[in-house]
Amino acid sequence: MPKKKPENCWTCRLRRKKCDGTQPTCRVCASLEISCHYSETQPEWMDGGPRQQAEAQRRKSEVKLSADRRRKEKVVRRLQSELLSDPGRDEYHQGVASPLTTGATPAPDKESRGFTQSSSALEATSPGGSTSNVWLSHLNCDYDIGLVVAFLDHVFPLLSPFYQPSVLEGGRMWLLAVIMRDKVFRLHTNAITSYLLSVIPCRSETITNTCKLYALEGAQRQRDLAISHLQSDLSSLITRGIHNNLSETATLLTNMVNVLDLERTLADGDEWQIHLEAALNLIRDLLQDESGLQGSNWSLVLRRLSDRSKPAGFDMWSIDQAAFRFSVAKLVVFDIVTSSSLGRPPGLLSHHQELLRGDRDLMDRNPLQLTEVNGCQNWAMALLGEVVALDAWKKDQEKQKTQYRQHLLLRGEDIYTRLNDGLVQLDKCSNSQDNVMTMDSLTSRAPPPPYVITKLWTFATLAYLHIVLHGWQPSNREFRHSVFHATELIKQLSPWPLHLRAQSWPLCVAGCLASEEERPFYQSLESILGALASFGSIQQTKRIWKRVWADKSDEPRKDVATCLASCDYKAFLA
């Protein structure tokens, strides 16, 4: 005989909570965002035994997971509220009125988000000044401290898995120092942290679309607010002279690169081009001699950023030096990779010699280490830059209708030889590994096998070079050889999803050129990468693959640049 329909839902009965009987969902279950169960008959799991205990435990877990979700949504809503009110901005600018609160300058729209457009003339604050105490006080709450810790412990290692500086180099202490003293930097870390925490769950749970939406809106607002600050700071620095305020200029460039990092993470358009051009202009001006003579001042800039209070013989990079070096290294990689989709030579090509090679006779330690950004050695990235420049030169010659073929082949053959020589050296070195246990090796995350990343980039570059020299020939034996080896190297990286995610450019190029037999593997990468494939450049890569694979034409003008622009915007695959 079926029992009379209960006044209380079975969920509240199971949890022994008072229920208001509202149907189809009682207010108690609705407030907790858990499933509410009504039925005329008693559920099978209400047996007073093991099944009821198991169901009670499951409901208890559901309540806990729901509480975590609601807590995240509350944090993101609070983030959105703080963005609108922008507390502390007046303190940060030492009493200067905020254009966002006075109405003097509207929030930047789609056409005015570039750094080069000036908003009101706010006075820039020295990174080493009194703002440190101001922002230390702003971190005295669980919300701010939680975001900072989440960024340092989870988000930064996720986005930069190759950056593991030695303890003797100061490790990553500069990150915390810059977060503490610079508001714009903190805006970036808050934005990217809140967004990624909404995309990648902290536990095995489902993240609601509402939370994702709030986080995305919050990150976009933080980005726009940061850009507004950067416009003001850049305008002030240009007036006062970038060489006369080197520490501020270095911090400004770091923040510009952070905006680019946020752009590639959000992957919501192609406004990154404006920001990239502004950052390139700033670093080029900085590396230009103050007398106006062309020439790189990289070593001089680094020396001027050093901490003069440190004792003689102390080789650790200062806070400013470490932040500046890592930011410029990322900018060099961004510049090379994006130039392949923009169809132009890398903007820093003329500075690659000193930035990436230095003075080998003097054992110069100033050159950047691009392996800290994407795992690829400097020489391979520099050669990719040369191929990109050769591709742009070829297209320029075609527009001018000149006889360029012989010169193209000569330049291409030289790059081809150096790429293959590099592969030979990699094969020789791949068996010699340092097995000495050190503090760094014991506490750092184990990276992929040495040289695998550089080989991947080299084979992808060889395939790219083949297209530049001989056109789109997917069935060519030498072409297929490069794509095959790139694919095999990607398979070797499968156990390291964090590091594999950082290879979006070679992933995209090799995937676009993959044969019908190789494509199922590339489709399976989404399951290998998991949540890492749901945002940023990997998301763009998947869209490009689908477009290129659906295009069956072998047009003579089809090339890497057209593939990277196949989604109606220029891809940012760094």
Side-chain angles (χ1 to χ4, degrees), residues 14 50 75 114 127 132 163 182 191 196 233 328 374 408 456 462 503 509:
L14 177 67
V75 167
S132 177
Y163 186 64
D182 190 80
L196 288 181
D233 293 345
V328 175
N374 61 3
L408 173 72
L456 170 59
L462 281 169
Q503 315 308 316
V509 171

Side-chain angles (χ1 to χ4, degrees), residues 386-387 389-391 393-395 397-398 402-419 464-471 473 476 478:
E386 291 187 35
V387 175
L390 183 62
D391 190 17
W393 176 84
K394 170 190 170 183
K395 292 173 181 176
Q397 297 301 308
E398 288 175 343
T402 62
Q403 298 295 326
Y404 66 89
R405 185 69 186 166
Q406 185 176 0
H407 189 45
L408 173 72
L409 292 175
L410 285 173
R411 290 178 60 182
E413 186 65 29
D414 174 62
I415 299 174
Y416 177 84
T417 300
R418 285 184 285 155
L419 284 167
Y464 179 21
L465 177 61
H466 184 91
I467 295 175
V468 173
L469 298 179
H470 307 293
Q473 298 178 352
N476 179 275
E478 191 172 342

Side-chain angles (χ1 to χ4, degrees), residues 78 91 143 162 253 321 510 548:
R78 180 177 176 181
E91 287 181 281
Y143 164 70
F162 292 99
L253 184 71
Q321 286 175 320
V548 173

Side-chain angles (χ1 to χ4, degrees), residues 95-288:
V96 180
S98 166
L100 296 180
T101 55
T102 62
T105 304
D109 56 21
K110 189 171 184 179
E111 280 73 36
S112 63
R113 286 180 181 167
F115 305 134
T116 54
Q117 300 181 26
S118 171
S119 43
S120 62
L122 300 178
E123 180 180 354
T125 305
S126 171
S130 61
T131 58
S132 177
N133 293 333
V134 173
W135 283 105
L136 279 171
S137 66
H138 280 293
L139 287 174
N140 291 332
C141 65
D142 291 343
Y143 164 70
D144 282 326
I145 294 175
L147 282 180
V148 169
V149 172
F151 176 79
L152 294 173
D153 288 350
H154 302 290
V155 174
F156 185 84
L158 185 153
L159 296 177
S160 303
F162 292 99
Y163 186 64
Q164 298 183 24
S166 167
V167 172
L168 296 178
E169 292 179 329
R172 297 184 307 209
M173 69 176 183
W174 64 267
L175 274 172
L176 182 58
V178 178
I179 288 173
M180 290 295 191
R181 75 185 187 188
D182 190 80
K183 178 180 182 181
V184 178
F185 193 92
R186 198 168 72 90
L187 281 169
H188 295 131
T189 60
N190 284 1
I192 205 165
T193 301
S194 60
Y195 175 67
L196 288 181
L197 288 179
S198 77
V199 175
I200 303 177
C202 295
R203 300 185 182 91
S204 300
E205 59 182 275
T206 301
I207 298 177
T208 65
N209 290 330
T210 302
C211 187
K212 290 181 181 180
L213 178 61
Y214 271 113
L216 178 59
E217 291 177 351
Q220 289 170 336
R221 288 178 181 274
Q222 290 255 22
R223 174 189 60 188
D224 294 344
L225 183 57
I227 290 172
S228 179
H229 285 250
L230 287 173
Q231 289 171 342
S232 302
D233 293 345
L234 179 59
S235 176
S236 176
L237 267 177
I238 290 174
T239 301
R240 293 181 289 123
I242 60 174
H243 289 92
N244 297 328
N245 301 274
L246 192 56
S247 182
E248 291 180 52
T249 303
T251 299
L252 180 64
L253 184 71
T254 296
N255 287 329
M256 286 179 167
V257 173
N258 282 342
V259 167
L260 288 168
D261 228 353
L262 184 56
E263 293 284 1
R264 68 170 178 154
T265 302
L266 298 179
D268 61 347
D270 54 7
E271 294 164 14
W272 57 265
Q273 296 180 46
I274 305 173
H275 308 154
L276 176 65
E277 197 59 40
L280 290 175
N281 286 336
L282 183 61
I283 188 64
R284 282 193 292 255
D285 289 345
L286 195 58
L287 296 178
Q288 181 110 359

